[in-house]
Amino acid sequence: MRVMAQMGMVMNLDKCIGCHTCSVTCKQAWTNRTGVEYVWFNNVETRPGLGYPRMHEDQEKWGGGWVRTAKGKLRLRSGGRLKRLSRIFSNPKLPGLKDYYEPWTYEYDTLLNAPAGDDVPVARPKSLITGLPMQIRWSANWDDDLGGAPEYAPQDPVLKKLGDLVKLEFEKTFMFHLPRICEHCLNPACVASCPSGAMYKRVEDGIVLVDQDGCRGWRMCVSGCPYKKVYFNHRTGKAEKCTFCYPRVEAGVPTVCAETCVGRLRYIGLFLYDADAVLAAASVENEHDLLEAQRAVILDPNDATVIAAARAESIPEDWIEAAQKSPVYALTNRYRIALPLHPEYRTMPMVWYIPPLSPVVDAVSSTGADGEDKDTLFAAIDQLRIPVEYLAEIFSAGDPKPVEYSLRVLAAMRSYMRRINLGEERDESIATAVGMTGRTIEDLYRLLAIAKYEDRYVIPAAHVEAGLALDEIAGCSLDYAGGPGMGGTGPFGELATVPASVETFQLTKQRAEANRYADLPEGTGAVDLLTWSGGTPPRGMFPPRRDADGQDSP
Amino acid sequence: MNSFIWIVVPYVALTCFAVGLSWRYRYDKFGWTSRSSQMYENRLLAWGGPLFHFGILGVLVGHVVGLVIPADWTTRAGLSEENYHRMAVTTGVVFGLMTVVGLVLLVYRRRLTPSVFRATTGMDKAMYVMLGGVIAVGMYNSFVVQLLGPGHDYREDVAVWFRSVFWFQPDAGAMQGAPLSFQLHALMAMGLFALWPFTRLVHVFSAPVGYLVRPYIVYRSRDRHGSARPPRRGWEKVGS
């Protein structure tokens, strides 16, 4: 057993209203640059729908993820090493810009500069790629909230798997939102695809990153990732991806997407897992066994042998403690209601989802029945095959049982807590119907419905020696590149800038917590969301408040 | 003049090449990329990219064989001059054609696809002119001189000069016997080498052969460098 720590996330889809706040704040923090205009490290898809990039789940087309060979070995779906290297000059499986969308702006200047005339000036859309006028035909969220669903939804690769069943019943539609970030997989296909070895998984917290100095722009990672969550910066020629906001997480602060989530549906915490068991778990023969195999790789942080093994791997005590309090471990392995996204890709994704009960509740309520009654809900879960099987295709490789179990637990929680809210007696039979006790249901309720900030995010800070923080106080310099001995300003210019480091961030965080934000020049309109701690509105976001007597107050 | 062109110029070009590459590697790793434009356009690239690259790799092997291996080695190995010539011209023409067709496709694509053209830098254009020029003259040598014309045994002059440069005993006289088009090809190639480190051509030196042997999943420690900055002089850790 080789214990490693992994940062993980769980999203409770029942609470997602599809407001896209996570996407917008993420973009503002990470991808508001030329070259990544089209990139959304975090995006929210409406399902059924095509997703972003369009139909990214169609692995017949994109060849992402792993497959199990007849001999029981894992191989990248796009082929062996030599085969993929031979395609380096033109990657046949790379999504084009059109599969994401062509980013655009509008000719705002014409609104201001058009000469007086009979015609009202208009701001035509202009491509940010070609600089030419363009027709907007697609974007990252063209089919948001089932917009254009009759045309687009039938192409949904997940719906296609369900076949004719859906065509008959599509009028009785259902819908939910699916926020997606990088999965920071235990067995990442993108890392395995990178010819340069520039992509890596961090030993300390399992976050998957791209070394921007090592990336040579071969684009194999974009194809390798079955979730299409590695993006190509067409200006710099380098791959970029969700960083799990590592500068924030290292400081013990949740990611920007989680921090700004309006529905408070994201949970961040640690997993302890057995790194030696990952490959075997990802190679199990039956796809339906992948979910359980993945759960089995995750270790019980309260188990004495696990704790001893973690200490032997010099995982710090506060990290072990955080793993014991981890909300994500509770949801995936203790309550067993969180499910991974497409386990059949065999990448062991570490962003998990609680499937949404709302399509079921909506269907029940629309018939006039009691949407909070246990028996009605249980019956509906059994009868509403399409939502359940659709969810199963997404979260459990097509096996409806785990999805049904999650939904039944949510339904039981709903009706159990309804009785309490109405002042009725606790009905223990509701809890036992899903193999729980009233007590655990109330615990789950606290975690899912009350969802206190400190319950949702249990993030231990990264360990840095105190000396390094002192280093920071001494001032900021640019003598960094590649490591020790590379420092200094050379005769031909400055070396690379200081990386976003926990050393920098700890201080920024302290400033933020004292409500003194990292000083950005005022009036520039720049809002630094990356270092925002969530205590007060970020500086620069809103104009100064006016007092009653008209004076500006900060 | 002769010694300027065949002694001074090559050493200036090679120095520029070597120093430029190490400078770029040290100070601009972030800029070291193939800067692919595949996302913009893939239909033409799907043909042009592989044709050009596999072609130019073949051409590279041909040049190594022709310039580095002395003629009497191949003769001693049992390959007659006549057979060598036939082999060299055939493979040269095949790979050369692949290169040219690929390059034409790529340049056509670069100029006429608005998105690709917009992403083309001044340095890219300079590089295309140099690279295209070297290839054009090279193809003239292969086709007009070697295949259709009388043929020229460059192993008696160009190759001798080429090797002498690397032994630091440059033999400028050896180039005297070479036809003008061969001299021009060599001279332009030196220009290309001088320009090389400052263009996207640096990606040639990132050919990912290590991928064939490394483990699939790469792990790196956050603390690989200990600190974001190297310790100051006098503050190194004990034992370092």
Side-chain angles (χ1 to χ4, degrees):
Chain A
M1 180 158 58
R2 184 161 56 99
V3 181
M4 289 182 85
Q6 167 77 40
M7 259 322 147
M9 189 186 278
V10 172
M11 301 191 211
N12 182 1
L13 295 184
D14 220 13
K15 294 167 89 177
C16 184
I17 57 170
C19 67
H20 302 279
T21 307
C22 46
S23 307
V24 171
T25 50
C26 171
K27 190 151 190 40
Q28 195 70 351
W30 289 105
T31 57
N32 54 354
R33 294 165 285 136
T34 303
V36 283
E37 312 93 335
Y38 76 99
V39 170
W40 298 81
F41 288 165
N42 182 110
N43 74 297
V44 184
E45 300 170 1
T46 303
R47 308 312 298 262
L50 298 192
Y52 158 84
R54 222 180 307 198
M55 292 188 270
H56 61 87
E57 283 153 313
D58 185 353
Q59 301 310 335
E60 297 296 312
K61 182 170 183 195
W62 301 120
W66 303 86
V67 285
R68 186 180 185 275
T69 62
K71 284 181 191 156
K73 294 218 162 179
L74 274 196
R75 177 174 67 73
L76 286 169
R77 190 184 284 275
S78 51
R81 296 171 197 249
L82 261 181
K83 181 175 172 194
R84 262 167 313 110
L85 273 196
S86 72
R87 292 170 171 193
I88 205 163
F89 303 127
S90 169
N91 178 353
K93 302 281 190 188
L94 186 78
L97 205 49
K98 293 270 154 64
D99 292 304
Y100 299 88
Y101 66 99
E102 189 170 349
W104 70 88
T105 182
Y106 295 92
E107 291 175 325
Y108 294 111
D109 276 359
T110 60
L111 294 183
L112 302 170
N113 300 334
D118 293 337
D119 302 318
V120 179
V122 290
R124 286 190 305 169
K126 192 176 85 175
S127 166
L128 284 169
I129 301 299
T130 60
L132 305 171
M134 66 176 273
Q135 287 278 325
I136 302 166
R137 298 207 181 279
W138 192 258
S139 81
N141 253 309
W142 204 247
D143 53 355
D144 200 17
D145 289 347
L146 295 184
E151 185 184 343
Y152 301 122
Q155 302 172 46
D156 178 343
V158 179
L159 264 192
K160 275 185 185 164
K161 280 193 190 168
L162 299 187
D164 293 337
L165 198 62
V166 183
K167 285 194 191 105
L168 299 170
E169 302 229 9
F170 197 68
E171 282 72 37
K172 295 188 218 159
T173 191
F174 67 99
M175 172 187 111
F176 64 96
H177 297 284
L178 181 69
R180 296 199 305 124
I181 64 170
C182 164
E183 299 285 336
H184 297 278
C185 304
L186 296 185
N187 187 30
C190 57
V191 173
S193 308
C194 175
S196 311
M199 291 193 77
Y200 60 98
K201 203 165 168 59
R202 289 212 303 195
V203 175
E204 288 82 4
D205 49 19
I207 294 175
V208 176
L209 294 171
V210 184
D211 175 355
Q212 290 289 303
D213 278 348
C215 174
R216 300 285 174 256
W218 301 123
R219 318 176 294 294
M220 291 296 170
C221 52
V222 182
S223 315
C225 173
Y227 305 95
K228 291 292 165 281
K229 276 293 171 190
V230 190
Y231 302 89
F232 185 70
N233 181 325
H234 59 85
R235 172 63 67 90
T236 62
K238 306 262 169 167
E240 294 189 19
K241 65 179 287 299
C242 160
T243 63
F244 212 84
C245 286
Y246 70 89
R248 291 176 62 94
V249 168
E250 283 174 359
V253 188
T255 62
V256 169
C257 55
E259 179 76 76
T260 58
C261 176
V262 175
R264 304 179 177 190
L265 58 91
R266 299 196 188 215
Y267 297 78
I268 298 177
L270 274 186
F271 291 114
L272 296 182
Y273 71 100
D274 182 3
D276 287 337
V278 170
L279 189 62
S283 324
V284 296
E285 187 171 5
N286 187 344
E287 287 187 346
H288 289 184
D289 297 335
L290 279 165
L291 166 62
E292 272 320 305
Q294 182 163 341
R295 277 187 176 142
V297 166
I298 297 169
L299 301 166
D300 179 358
N302 292 305
D303 186 325
T305 55
V306 172
I307 295 173
R311 283 183 185 139
E313 298 288 340
S314 51
I315 292 175
E317 285 303 315
D318 59 331
W319 278 55
I320 298 175
E321 209 175 296
Q324 289 163 350
K325 286 193 266 178
S326 166
V328 295
Y329 175 78
L331 291 169
T332 61
N333 280 39
R334 200 171 304 139
Y335 299 116
R336 301 169 63 82
I337 56 169
L339 307 171
L341 184 62
H342 289 299
E344 72 272 21
Y345 298 160
R346 298 178 185 269
T347 59
M348 302 265 129
M350 280 296 123
V351 174
W352 302 60
Y353 293 88
I354 299 171
L357 183 66
S358 42
V360 178
V361 175
D362 288 348
V364 170
S365 306
S366 67
T367 63
D370 181 359
E372 292 184 337
D373 177 68
K374 175 195 69 164
D375 295 324
T376 317
L377 283 175
F378 281 7
I381 293 169
D382 288 338
Q383 278 163 20
L384 291 171
R385 295 320 303 166
I386 295 173
V388 170
E389 277 172 25
Y390 186 89
L391 291 170
E393 287 293 345
I394 291 187
F395 298 117
S396 51
D399 181 7
K401 286 194 286 297
V403 172
E404 277 166 10
Y405 177 73
S406 297
L407 295 182
R408 287 166 80 94
V409 169
L410 293 179
M413 184 178 86
R414 211 177 154 85
S415 62
Y416 185 86
M417 293 311 297
R418 200 255 306 251
R419 291 182 66 87
I420 295 177
N421 288 338
L422 294 181
E424 295 171 14
E425 255 183 63
R426 285 170 158 75
D427 184 355
E428 201 65 22
S429 74
I430 298 179
T432 47
V434 289
M436 295 171 89
T437 64
R439 174 107 192 207
T440 49
I441 286 223
E442 281 182 65
D443 286 345
L444 184 61
Y445 170 79
R446 209 165 296 121
L447 188 56
L448 289 185
I450 307 295
K452 290 269 191 203
Y453 189 92
E454 56 273 19
D455 293 335
R456 276 181 285 140
Y457 308 127
V458 181
I459 308 169
H463 281 257
V464 272
E465 290 150 88
L468 300 181
L470 292 174
D471 221 23
E472 190 69 32
I473 296 169
C476 175
S477 91
L478 292 172
D479 54 354
Y480 175 87
M486 295 289 280
T489 318
F492 301 105
E494 305 252 290
L495 288 168
T497 50
V498 178
S501 68
V502 64
E503 294 86 352
T504 329
F505 199 81
Q506 288 284 14
L507 283 193
T508 325
K509 187 198 163 201
Q510 282 158 18
R511 278 198 293 272
E513 281 176 346
N515 283 334
R516 290 183 292 117
Y517 286 98
D519 287 334
L520 288 165
E522 262 196 283
T524 58
V527 178
D528 184 11
L529 285 174
L530 185 62
T531 55
W532 177 47
S533 74
T536 52
R539 180 164 165 182
M541 178 84 93
F542 302 107
R545 199 168 283 168
R546 280 178 191 276
D547 297 342
D549 53 357
Q551 292 294 307
D552 284 357
S553 69
Chain B
M1 188 61 196
N2 199 34
S3 55
F4 175 76
I5 292 181
W6 303 117
I7 297 175
V8 177
V9 172
Y11 284 116
V12 169
L14 285 177
T15 308
C16 202
F17 183 70
V19 174
L21 277 176
S22 69
W23 166 79
R24 178 110 187 249
Y25 189 73
R26 184 162 174 195
Y27 289 94
D28 184 30
K29 271 193 203 133
F30 182 60
W32 195 291
T33 154
S34 54
R35 245 189 54 248
S36 162
S37 56
Q38 190 185 348
M39 286 205 81
Y40 302 136
E41 199 281 342
N42 193 27
R43 210 169 42 85
L44 289 169
L45 184 78
W47 286 97
L51 265 178
F52 172 78
H53 282 94
F54 286 120
I56 200 91
L57 283 175
V59 169
L60 172 76
V61 172
H63 276 71
V64 169
V65 172
L67 293 177
V68 175
I69 300 175
D72 49 336
W73 288 23
T74 48
T75 321
R76 231 177 292 160
L79 190 66
S80 75
E81 180 56 37
E82 196 182 320
N83 280 340
Y84 170 85
H85 184 77
R86 197 177 301 133
M87 186 194 77
V89 171
T90 337
T91 52
V93 163
V94 169
F95 283 113
L97 269 181
M98 280 172 70
T99 311
V100 168
V101 172
L103 187 67
V104 167
L105 273 175
L106 291 180
V107 172
Y108 171 83
R109 163 183 182 272
R110 192 156 279 278
R111 182 62 197 88
L112 291 181
T113 314
S115 45
V116 183
F117 187 57
R118 201 161 178 254
T120 307
T121 63
M123 197 48 109
D124 285 344
K125 290 172 194 167
M127 183 274 291
Y128 270 107
V129 170
M130 285 303 275
L131 186 66
V134 174
I135 291 174
V137 179
M139 284 308 282
Y140 173 86
N141 289 341
S142 283
F143 264 89
V144 180
V145 180
Q146 303 285 46
L147 192 65
L148 309 174
H152 171 73
D153 188 4
Y154 51 82
R155 297 209 292 175
E156 297 299 324
D157 40 49
V158 183
V160 172
W161 163 79
F162 180 83
R163 288 193 298 269
S164 74
V165 169
F166 290 94
W167 291 332
F168 297 103
Q169 286 170 345
D171 182 1
M175 280 305 270
Q176 289 303 313
L180 191 64
S181 64
F182 278 74
Q183 294 190 4
L184 192 62
H185 182 66
L187 199 60
M188 287 173 80
M190 286 188 280
L192 181 65
F193 284 126
L195 192 68
W196 197 293
F198 314 103
T199 67
R200 54 167 41 174
L201 290 183
V202 290
H203 76 266
V204 172
F205 295 96
S206 309
V209 281
Y211 181 59
L212 294 174
V213 290
R214 74 139 218 259
Y216 263 138
I217 309 296
V218 178
Y219 292 93
R220 281 196 211 174
S221 174
R222 187 174 67 76
D223 292 328
R224 197 171 52 143
H225 307 308
S227 163
R229 62 165 68 191
R232 262 163 300 201
R233 221 148 53 90
W235 290 93
E236 292 92 350
K237 271 189 184 168
V238 175
S240 68

PDB file of all heavy atoms in Angstrom, chain B residues 85 89 141-154 179 182:
ATOM      1  N   HIS B  85      24.942   6.572 -56.200  1.00  0.00           N
ATOM      2  CA  HIS B  85      24.351   7.729 -56.867  1.00  0.00           C
ATOM      3  C   HIS B  85      22.880   7.460 -57.205  1.00  0.00           C
ATOM      4  O   HIS B  85      22.006   8.282 -56.942  1.00  0.00           O
ATOM      5  CB  HIS B  85      25.138   8.043 -58.139  1.00  0.00           C
ATOM      6  CG  HIS B  85      24.655   9.271 -58.849  1.00  0.00           C
ATOM      7  ND1 HIS B  85      24.963  10.537 -58.401  1.00  0.00           N
ATOM      8  CD2 HIS B  85      23.868   9.431 -59.941  1.00  0.00           C
ATOM      9  CE1 HIS B  85      24.387  11.420 -59.209  1.00  0.00           C
ATOM     10  NE2 HIS B  85      23.719  10.770 -60.145  1.00  0.00           N
ATOM     11  N   VAL B  89      19.838   9.590 -55.570  1.00  0.00           N
ATOM     12  CA  VAL B  89      18.957  10.420 -56.405  1.00  0.00           C
ATOM     13  C   VAL B  89      17.509   9.966 -56.246  1.00  0.00           C
ATOM     14  O   VAL B  89      16.603  10.791 -56.093  1.00  0.00           O
ATOM     15  CB  VAL B  89      19.407  10.370 -57.877  1.00  0.00           C
ATOM     16  CG1 VAL B  89      18.364  11.035 -58.757  1.00  0.00           C
ATOM     17  CG2 VAL B  89      20.757  11.048 -58.043  1.00  0.00           C
ATOM     18  N   ASN B 141      18.927  21.226 -57.536  1.00  0.00           N
ATOM     19  CA  ASN B 141      20.106  20.361 -57.597  1.00  0.00           C
ATOM     20  C   ASN B 141      19.714  18.910 -57.844  1.00  0.00           C
ATOM     21  O   ASN B 141      20.325  18.226 -58.665  1.00  0.00           O
ATOM     22  CB  ASN B 141      20.896  20.458 -56.284  1.00  0.00           C
ATOM     23  CG  ASN B 141      21.576  21.802 -56.151  1.00  0.00           C
ATOM     24  OD1 ASN B 141      21.764  22.505 -57.151  1.00  0.00           O
ATOM     25  ND2 ASN B 141      21.928  22.171 -54.941  1.00  0.00           N
ATOM     26  N   SER B 142      18.683  18.451 -57.157  1.00  0.00           N
ATOM     27  CA  SER B 142      18.276  17.058 -57.292  1.00  0.00           C
ATOM     28  C   SER B 142      17.740  16.784 -58.682  1.00  0.00           C
ATOM     29  O   SER B 142      18.104  15.795 -59.312  1.00  0.00           O
ATOM     30  CB  SER B 142      17.186  16.727 -56.276  1.00  0.00           C
ATOM     31  OG  SER B 142      17.753  16.553 -55.020  1.00  0.00           O
ATOM     32  N   PHE B 143      16.834  17.655 -59.117  1.00  0.00           N
ATOM     33  CA  PHE B 143      16.142  17.398 -60.376  1.00  0.00           C
ATOM     34  C   PHE B 143      16.994  17.767 -61.575  1.00  0.00           C
ATOM     35  O   PHE B 143      17.324  16.925 -62.400  1.00  0.00           O
ATOM     36  CB  PHE B 143      14.828  18.197 -60.416  1.00  0.00           C
ATOM     37  CG  PHE B 143      13.659  17.378 -59.984  1.00  0.00           C
ATOM     38  CD1 PHE B 143      13.289  17.322 -58.664  1.00  0.00           C
ATOM     39  CD2 PHE B 143      12.951  16.638 -60.925  1.00  0.00           C
ATOM     40  CE1 PHE B 143      12.223  16.552 -58.264  1.00  0.00           C
ATOM     41  CE2 PHE B 143      11.882  15.862 -60.532  1.00  0.00           C
ATOM     42  CZ  PHE B 143      11.518  15.811 -59.199  1.00  0.00           C
ATOM     43  N   VAL B 144      17.335  19.070 -61.644  1.00  0.00           N
ATOM     44  CA  VAL B 144      17.950  19.572 -62.876  1.00  0.00           C
ATOM     45  C   VAL B 144      19.386  19.067 -63.010  1.00  0.00           C
ATOM     46  O   VAL B 144      19.800  18.623 -64.075  1.00  0.00           O
ATOM     47  CB  VAL B 144      17.888  21.116 -62.910  1.00  0.00           C
ATOM     48  CG1 VAL B 144      18.524  21.639 -64.188  1.00  0.00           C
ATOM     49  CG2 VAL B 144      16.452  21.578 -62.783  1.00  0.00           C
ATOM     50  N   VAL B 145      20.132  19.116 -61.906  1.00  0.00           N
ATOM     51  CA  VAL B 145      21.537  18.716 -62.012  1.00  0.00           C
ATOM     52  C   VAL B 145      21.685  17.195 -61.982  1.00  0.00           C
ATOM     53  O   VAL B 145      22.308  16.598 -62.856  1.00  0.00           O
ATOM     54  CB  VAL B 145      22.374  19.369 -60.894  1.00  0.00           C
ATOM     55  CG1 VAL B 145      23.827  18.949 -61.020  1.00  0.00           C
ATOM     56  CG2 VAL B 145      22.239  20.881 -60.954  1.00  0.00           C
ATOM     57  N   GLN B 146      21.104  16.570 -60.968  1.00  0.00           N
ATOM     58  CA  GLN B 146      21.380  15.149 -60.754  1.00  0.00           C
ATOM     59  C   GLN B 146      20.527  14.241 -61.637  1.00  0.00           C
ATOM     60  O   GLN B 146      21.045  13.299 -62.226  1.00  0.00           O
ATOM     61  CB  GLN B 146      21.121  14.762 -59.291  1.00  0.00           C
ATOM     62  CG  GLN B 146      21.900  15.562 -58.283  1.00  0.00           C
ATOM     63  CD  GLN B 146      23.367  15.153 -58.220  1.00  0.00           C
ATOM     64  OE1 GLN B 146      24.012  14.999 -59.246  1.00  0.00           O
ATOM     65  NE2 GLN B 146      23.901  15.014 -57.021  1.00  0.00           N
ATOM     66  N   LEU B 147      19.219  14.515 -61.687  1.00  0.00           N
ATOM     67  CA  LEU B 147      18.322  13.582 -62.370  1.00  0.00           C
ATOM     68  C   LEU B 147      18.348  13.797 -63.889  1.00  0.00           C
ATOM     69  O   LEU B 147      18.546  12.866 -64.652  1.00  0.00           O
ATOM     70  CB  LEU B 147      16.896  13.748 -61.839  1.00  0.00           C
ATOM     71  CG  LEU B 147      15.904  12.661 -62.235  1.00  0.00           C
ATOM     72  CD1 LEU B 147      16.321  11.333 -61.630  1.00  0.00           C
ATOM     73  CD2 LEU B 147      14.502  13.027 -61.772  1.00  0.00           C
ATOM     74  N   LEU B 148      18.180  15.053 -64.326  1.00  0.00           N
ATOM     75  CA  LEU B 148      18.082  15.334 -65.762  1.00  0.00           C
ATOM     76  C   LEU B 148      19.439  15.708 -66.352  1.00  0.00           C
ATOM     77  O   LEU B 148      19.733  15.406 -67.499  1.00  0.00           O
ATOM     78  CB  LEU B 148      17.076  16.471 -66.002  1.00  0.00           C
ATOM     79  CG  LEU B 148      15.712  16.277 -65.340  1.00  0.00           C
ATOM     80  CD1 LEU B 148      14.835  17.503 -65.509  1.00  0.00           C
ATOM     81  CD2 LEU B 148      15.017  15.054 -65.947  1.00  0.00           C
ATOM     82  N   GLY B 149      20.254  16.392 -65.530  1.00  0.00           N
ATOM     83  CA  GLY B 149      21.510  16.921 -66.053  1.00  0.00           C
ATOM     84  C   GLY B 149      22.650  15.920 -65.967  1.00  0.00           C
ATOM     85  O   GLY B 149      22.434  14.701 -65.852  1.00  0.00           O
ATOM     86  N   PRO B 150      23.843  16.442 -66.026  1.00  0.00           N
ATOM     87  CA  PRO B 150      25.022  15.579 -66.062  1.00  0.00           C
ATOM     88  C   PRO B 150      25.284  14.893 -64.721  1.00  0.00           C
ATOM     89  O   PRO B 150      25.957  13.876 -64.664  1.00  0.00           O
ATOM     90  CB  PRO B 150      26.151  16.551 -66.396  1.00  0.00           C
ATOM     91  CG  PRO B 150      25.662  17.877 -65.898  1.00  0.00           C
ATOM     92  CD  PRO B 150      24.193  17.873 -66.059  1.00  0.00           C
ATOM     93  N   GLY B 151      24.765  15.457 -63.656  1.00  0.00           N
ATOM     94  CA  GLY B 151      25.032  14.908 -62.313  1.00  0.00           C
ATOM     95  C   GLY B 151      26.325  15.479 -61.767  1.00  0.00           C
ATOM     96  O   GLY B 151      27.243  15.863 -62.526  1.00  0.00           O
ATOM     97  N   HIS B 152      26.360  15.577 -60.450  1.00  0.00           N
ATOM     98  CA  HIS B 152      27.578  16.102 -59.851  1.00  0.00           C
ATOM     99  C   HIS B 152      27.877  15.312 -58.584  1.00  0.00           C
ATOM    100  O   HIS B 152      27.002  15.082 -57.754  1.00  0.00           O
ATOM    101  CB  HIS B 152      27.413  17.588 -59.502  1.00  0.00           C
ATOM    102  CG  HIS B 152      28.559  18.107 -58.697  1.00  0.00           C
ATOM    103  ND1 HIS B 152      29.806  18.323 -59.261  1.00  0.00           N
ATOM    104  CD2 HIS B 152      28.672  18.422 -57.389  1.00  0.00           C
ATOM    105  CE1 HIS B 152      30.625  18.752 -58.321  1.00  0.00           C
ATOM    106  NE2 HIS B 152      29.964  18.815 -57.176  1.00  0.00           N
ATOM    107  N   ASP B 153      29.112  14.883 -58.428  1.00  0.00           N
ATOM    108  CA  ASP B 153      29.460  14.111 -57.246  1.00  0.00           C
ATOM    109  C   ASP B 153      29.855  15.050 -56.117  1.00  0.00           C
ATOM    110  O   ASP B 153      31.022  15.397 -55.947  1.00  0.00           O
ATOM    111  CB  ASP B 153      30.594  13.139 -57.569  1.00  0.00           C
ATOM    112  CG  ASP B 153      30.837  12.191 -56.407  1.00  0.00           C
ATOM    113  OD1 ASP B 153      30.070  12.270 -55.423  1.00  0.00           O
ATOM    114  OD2 ASP B 153      31.773  11.387 -56.492  1.00  0.00           O
ATOM    115  N   TYR B 154      28.854  15.444 -55.366  1.00  0.00           N
ATOM    116  CA  TYR B 154      29.102  16.414 -54.276  1.00  0.00           C
ATOM    117  C   TYR B 154      29.964  15.814 -53.182  1.00  0.00           C
ATOM    118  O   TYR B 154      30.451  16.498 -52.322  1.00  0.00           O
ATOM    119  CB  TYR B 154      27.774  16.910 -53.696  1.00  0.00           C
ATOM    120  CG  TYR B 154      26.825  15.793 -53.327  1.00  0.00           C
ATOM    121  CD1 TYR B 154      26.960  15.137 -52.115  1.00  0.00           C
ATOM    122  CD2 TYR B 154      25.831  15.392 -54.207  1.00  0.00           C
ATOM    123  CE1 TYR B 154      26.127  14.087 -51.793  1.00  0.00           C
ATOM    124  CE2 TYR B 154      24.995  14.340 -53.893  1.00  0.00           C
ATOM    125  CZ  TYR B 154      25.135  13.691 -52.683  1.00  0.00           C
ATOM    126  OH  TYR B 154      24.316  12.653 -52.355  1.00  0.00           O
ATOM    127  N   PRO B 179      29.282  23.116 -58.376  1.00  0.00           N
ATOM    128  CA  PRO B 179      28.493  24.027 -59.230  1.00  0.00           C
ATOM    129  C   PRO B 179      27.904  25.157 -58.384  1.00  0.00           C
ATOM    130  O   PRO B 179      27.728  25.018 -57.170  1.00  0.00           O
ATOM    131  CB  PRO B 179      27.377  23.151 -59.783  1.00  0.00           C
ATOM    132  CG  PRO B 179      27.781  21.754 -59.511  1.00  0.00           C
ATOM    133  CD  PRO B 179      28.721  21.767 -58.367  1.00  0.00           C
ATOM    134  N   PHE B 182      24.989  24.371 -56.110  1.00  0.00           N
ATOM    135  CA  PHE B 182      25.340  23.670 -54.868  1.00  0.00           C
ATOM    136  C   PHE B 182      25.904  24.651 -53.848  1.00  0.00           C
ATOM    137  O   PHE B 182      25.616  24.561 -52.650  1.00  0.00           O
ATOM    138  CB  PHE B 182      26.346  22.547 -55.153  1.00  0.00           C
ATOM    139  CG  PHE B 182      25.701  21.292 -55.661  1.00  0.00           C
ATOM    140  CD1 PHE B 182      25.210  21.223 -56.956  1.00  0.00           C
ATOM    141  CD2 PHE B 182      25.573  20.176 -54.850  1.00  0.00           C
ATOM    142  CE1 PHE B 182      24.606  20.076 -57.436  1.00  0.00           C
ATOM    143  CE2 PHE B 182      24.963  19.022 -55.310  1.00  0.00           C
ATOM    144  CZ  PHE B 182      24.484  18.969 -56.607  1.00  0.00           C
TER     145      PHE B 182
END
